[in-house]
């Protein structure tokens, strides 16, 4: 079986964009789930939804692999799993060393997904002499003094750093000097590496801080929305409520305003009519008094009594 020392992925030479490469594992994960359910084919829309991307982007990504699917049928799941696995270099054995066997390093060593995805944990390495020889996930921990020999003996090209931040750069330099050309860094620090060495950083605290930012922004937007609503009983609150009710019931919000205008016109016309009939202020007063009386059904009469 080939090892990572003699075979490198060909994605760069084939001109596949880095953004596409970053999405290929997402497609592979979704396809693997479909394969485990014995689903034979999948449409671009279904696969895009499962991977969390839009279907146009998915079809563009797959075009770099030379896979275009079949109209009306979709993509062959098993073949696409093979295609993506081959492109990512997962059809061969990649020996990996994990340096730093604390809580995180031990958790990574116990992760069962490595073997099923083309990676083999070749060695666990720690600087603590008390850890030497102790088995973790069935693999005995070895001291950092043996790091270079372990890398050479196992043909390792991928190293995982799970040490404290203060030790990460030194470990990185030793890994690179020994021939490691790809590093997955879990230490909360930025590593300096020479050209030709790829580093992927995983920082859980940064991811949580980004989520905290979004939570704070959502809370601020909710506060602004609440502040924009007029308090109950404030001028204009009734109009806003009436408009909201009108909007919800389908009644035009202009109707209350029209009714108010008509009422104002009637009130204004009453004194003039009284003056014309000779009833004077007495009729106007009677009309005013009648305005406060209820009709037989409890409503204000539509026509005031003469």
């Amino acid at each position: 079986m080939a090892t990572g020392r003699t075979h490198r992925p060909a994605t760069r030479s084939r001109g596949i964009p880095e953004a596409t490469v970053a999405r290929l594992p997402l497609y592979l994960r979704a396809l693997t789930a479909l394969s485990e359910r014995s689903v034979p084919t999948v449409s671009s829309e279904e696969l895009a939804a499962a991977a969390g991307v839009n279907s146009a982007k998915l079809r563009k990504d797959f075009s770099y692999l030379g896979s275009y699917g079949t109209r009306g049928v979709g993509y062959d799941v098993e073949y696409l799993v093979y295609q993506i696995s081959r492109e990512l270099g997962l059809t061969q054995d990649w020996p990996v060393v994990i340096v730093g066997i604390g809580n995180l390093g031990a958790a990574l060593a116990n992760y069962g997904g490595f073997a099923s995805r083309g990676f083999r944990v070749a060695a666990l390495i720690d600087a603590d002499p008390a850890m030497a020889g102790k088995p973790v996930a069935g693999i005995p921990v070895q001291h950092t003094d043996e790091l270079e020999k372990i890398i050479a003996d196992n043909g390792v090209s991928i190293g995982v750093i799970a040490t404290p931040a203060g030790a990460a750069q030194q470990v990185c330099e030793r890994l690179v000097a020994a021939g490691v050309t790809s590093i997955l860094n879990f230490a909360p620090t930025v590593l300096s590496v020479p050209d030709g060495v790829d580093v992927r950083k995983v920082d859980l605290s940064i991811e949580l801080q980004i989520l905290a930012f979004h939570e704070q922004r959502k809370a601020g937007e909710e506060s602004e929305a609440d502040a924009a609503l007029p308090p109950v009983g404030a001028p204009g609150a009734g109009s806003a409520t009436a408009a909201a009710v009108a909007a919800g019931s389908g009644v035009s919000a202009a109707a209350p305003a029209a009714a108010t205008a008509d009422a104002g016109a009637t009130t204004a016309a009453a004194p003039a009519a009284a003056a014309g009939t000779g009833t004077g202020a007495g009729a106007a007063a009677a009309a005013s008094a009648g305005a406060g009386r209820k009709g037989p059904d409890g409503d204000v009469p539509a026509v005031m009594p003469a």
Side-chain angles (χ1 to χ4, degrees):
M1 180 177 288
T3 67
R5 298 296 295 162
T6 56
H7 293 76
R8 301 283 291 169
T11 53
R12 290 178 182 173
S13 62
R14 291 181 55 180
I16 299 180
E18 287 295 329
T20 296
V21 174
R23 287 188 290 269
L24 291 182
L26 303 179
Y27 302 140
L28 182 59
R29 180 174 61 189
L31 287 164
T32 300
L34 292 172
S35 177
E36 290 172 350
R37 301 204 310 267
S38 300
V39 176
T41 59
V42 62
S43 69
S44 58
E45 288 78 12
E46 292 170 335
L47 184 54
V53 302
N54 65 64
S55 57
K57 184 175 293 183
L58 177 142
R59 288 190 291 270
K60 179 67 173 178
D61 289 342
F62 285 176
S63 71
Y64 291 111
L65 307 180
S67 183
Y68 298 92
T70 303
R71 183 178 296 276
V73 177
Y75 295 91
D76 183 286
V77 170
E78 292 297 335
Y79 180 66
L80 206 48
V81 166
Y82 167 74
Q83 258 192 316
I84 296 176
S85 296
R86 182 186 62 185
E87 199 63 50
L88 290 174
L90 304 182
T91 55
Q92 59 196 44
D93 176 51
W94 292 98
V96 175
V97 295
I98 301 176
V99 185
I101 313 303
N103 291 333
L104 178 56
L108 293 171
N110 279 283
Y111 174 55
F114 285 134
S116 63
R117 288 169 172 80
F119 302 95
R120 172 175 55 86
V121 178
L124 305 178
I125 304 172
D126 198 274
D128 185 358
M131 290 288 295
K134 289 187 176 181
V136 175
I139 304 173
V141 176
Q142 302 180 66
H143 194 265
T144 50
D145 289 346
E146 303 178 66
L147 185 147
E148 287 79 9
K149 183 177 185 302
I150 293 168
I151 291 174
D153 290 348
N154 291 277
V156 175
S157 61
I158 299 177
V160 178
I161 297 178
T163 66
Q169 183 61 46
Q170 182 183 4
V171 168
C172 172
E173 292 170 0
R174 290 184 62 185
L175 288 172
V176 171
V180 169
T181 51
S182 292
I183 295 174
L184 180 61
N185 179 32
F186 284 91
T189 186
V190 176
L191 298 177
S192 176
V193 297
D195 291 340
V197 176
D198 296 310
V199 176
R200 299 288 296 181
K201 180 173 175 55
V202 180
D203 194 321
L204 301 180
S205 64
I206 287 179
E207 299 302 324
L208 287 172
Q209 288 168 18
I210 293 172
L211 290 176
F213 164 80
H214 290 296
E215 286 301 311
Q216 177 176 261
R217 187 173 64 176
K218 285 185 285 188
E221 290 172 351
E222 291 174 359
S223 297
E224 291 176 1
D226 291 342
L229 293 175
V232 177
S239 299
T241 303
V245 171
S249 63
V251 178
S252 171
T260 302
D262 291 344
T266 302
T267 304
T277 57
T279 55
S288 176
R293 294 198 301 269
K294 301 287 185 181
D297 296 328
D299 297 326
V300 176
V303 179
M304 299 305 297

